[in-house]
Amino acid sequence: MSEQHSTNESPADDAPSHREVVIIGSGPAGLTAAIYTARADLAPLVIEGEPSSTSDQPGGQLMLTTEVENFPGFSEGIMGPQLMTEMRAQAARFGAEIVTAKVSRVELAERPFCIWIGDPEAAKPTHTADAVIVSTGARSVMLGLEAEQRLIGHGLSTCATCDGFFFRDQEIAVVGGGDSALEEAGFLTKFASKVTLIHRRDELRASKIMQQRAFDNSRIEFAWNSVVDDVLGETKVEGLSLRDTRTNETRILPVTGVFIAIGHRPNTDLFTGVLDMDEAGYLVTGADRSTTNVDGVFACGDVQDHTYRQAVTAAASGCMAAIDAERWLESRTD
């Protein structure tokens, strides 16, 4: 792997570093975009985020995942951080420069686009770019418990499609009450012997058809008017401490896995008022394209995908963004 660079700010008297392509964010989408743009001799700069940041973790959510068994090409599976390390090294091999830093400000009103690292009020940007690819991803909304950081990937998950297979014939729980939570619970019954849906109220927020499917599923049970006070276990999930929202009584629910399904939040604060977003905050891209409303700015991965949210689909959209950016740059030189 090439050397990591950690940049906090650019000296005020330095001229901005100019690139044909700057990729903001990493993960499967950003690193795939880096591989493709690097192989196209565009010498991309990847600003991958900072480890201390909850909104743009370098490598994306796979850095918080243990074994990945559904990414093509790894018949025995691969650990999430290892997969990201390999993708990062592959991008660097072809000439992508990767900076471990957090973007603090962007100006996309005119070209070249301006990107700041460090002080957002600095007079000069740190970098300028002819084209920008946004791959800042999304993050799962969590419960805010200390145990979540300790146990994620060790029985605690935010993706049933990714991790459901590991809970065959086990009793597990899903936290949430919307369509996503019920969809996750239904999917998990393919593997688990019992799924307990934990909801803070006595009625669900999900659509009627999703509710009926859940009620009709004999493997789904409900813990109404309940919240999770703690996830038990030091090295793996061993149970949940539930509190009744009406009586404040607590009880232990013995489960070996818990899926948090209370929503996702795209990392798009940086682009508010600049790039078009849907009502949930996801970037809007063209049909079957990675184009945004700003000519020369492209988006890929979970920052614009609220449907699939898989590593393989993120990687595919990173490829699309890279090809779209390359063709756009070529069209401007004709």
Side-chain angles (χ1 to χ4, degrees):
M1 182 185 302
S2 68
E3 177 184 357
Q4 286 194 18
H5 302 272
S6 182
T7 305
N8 292 321
E9 59 182 330
S10 177
D13 56 348
D14 279 359
S17 165
H18 182 75
R19 303 298 179 104
E20 285 192 273
V21 177
V22 169
I23 300 169
I24 303 176
S26 51
L31 292 175
T32 301
I35 292 167
Y36 272 77
T37 51
R39 282 176 54 82
D41 291 330
L42 295 175
L45 172 68
V46 181
I47 307 174
E48 67 174 352
E50 293 177 337
S52 60
S53 173
T54 58
S55 62
D56 59 353
Q57 168 76 26
Q61 295 187 71
L62 281 187
M63 294 300 291
L64 305 175
T65 304
T66 51
E67 193 165 10
V68 178
E69 292 194 325
N70 55 4
F71 198 91
F74 300 95
S75 60
E76 300 299 322
I78 185 171
M79 301 298 283
Q82 182 185 354
L83 176 59
M84 289 299 90
T85 297
E86 293 291 338
M87 292 182 71
R88 192 180 189 279
Q90 188 175 3
R93 174 193 168 203
F94 292 115
E97 180 182 354
I98 302 173
V99 174
T100 304
K102 179 179 174 64
V103 173
S104 57
R105 173 185 165 195
V106 295
E107 289 288 346
L108 305 178
E110 58 184 29
R111 294 187 294 272
F113 303 122
C114 296
I115 300 160
W116 278 258
I117 292 173
D119 182 7
E121 301 302 322
K124 295 180 180 179
T126 316
H127 302 285
T128 58
D130 295 324
V132 169
I133 296 175
V134 179
S135 58
T136 47
R139 61 193 183 277
S140 299
V141 178
M142 305 297 280
L143 300 172
L145 303 174
E146 181 277 332
E148 288 175 312
Q149 298 302 315
R150 184 177 73 252
L151 295 172
I152 191 163
H154 300 280
L156 188 147
S157 175
T158 58
C159 179
T161 308
C162 309
D163 299 327
F165 177 82
F166 300 111
F167 295 90
R168 190 174 297 277
D169 299 324
Q170 299 180 42
E171 295 188 5
I172 60 178
V174 173
V175 182
D179 279 353
S180 293
L182 268 62
E183 184 176 358
E184 299 253 300
F187 177 83
L188 290 167
T189 60
K190 297 178 180 179
F191 309 100
S193 59
K194 183 173 75 172
V195 177
T196 301
L197 190 79
I198 302 167
H199 189 47
R200 62 171 54 247
R201 288 179 283 272
D202 59 2
E203 59 182 22
L204 300 168
R205 295 179 289 106
S207 60
K208 295 299 183 183
I209 188 170
M210 293 298 293
Q211 291 190 41
Q212 194 57 54
R213 287 176 183 170
F215 295 146
D216 290 343
N217 193 321
S218 61
R219 291 194 179 187
I220 297 179
E221 297 186 2
F222 296 86
W224 301 108
N225 300 301
S226 298
V227 293
V228 178
D229 273 350
D230 198 9
V231 184
L232 309 177
E234 287 301 315
T235 59
K236 62 180 181 179
V237 172
E238 297 176 355
L240 302 176
S241 175
L242 302 185
R243 176 170 50 85
D244 191 299
T245 57
R246 301 161 302 176
T247 66
N248 271 338
E249 293 180 354
T250 60
R251 67 184 178 96
I252 302 300
L253 179 67
V255 293
T256 55
V258 56
F259 289 77
I260 311 299
I262 55 178
H264 289 81
R265 183 172 296 128
N267 300 318
T268 52
D269 291 349
L270 194 64
F271 309 101
T272 301
V274 179
L275 298 180
D276 286 348
M277 305 177 187
D278 64 17
E279 59 184 14
Y282 289 87
L283 297 184
V284 175
T285 52
D288 299 322
R289 305 278 296 186
S290 65
T291 52
T292 69
N293 61 296
V294 175
D295 198 28
V297 178
F298 307 86
C300 55
D302 287 6
V303 75
Q304 52 82 231
D305 172 24
H306 51 74
T307 303
Y308 301 105
R309 294 196 295 262
Q310 299 296 302
V312 67
T313 52
S317 70
C319 167
M320 293 169 60
I323 292 174
D324 286 345
E326 179 187 0
R327 291 174 177 172
W328 181 82
L329 288 167
E330 287 178 349
S331 71
R332 298 184 69 243
T333 59
D334 290 343

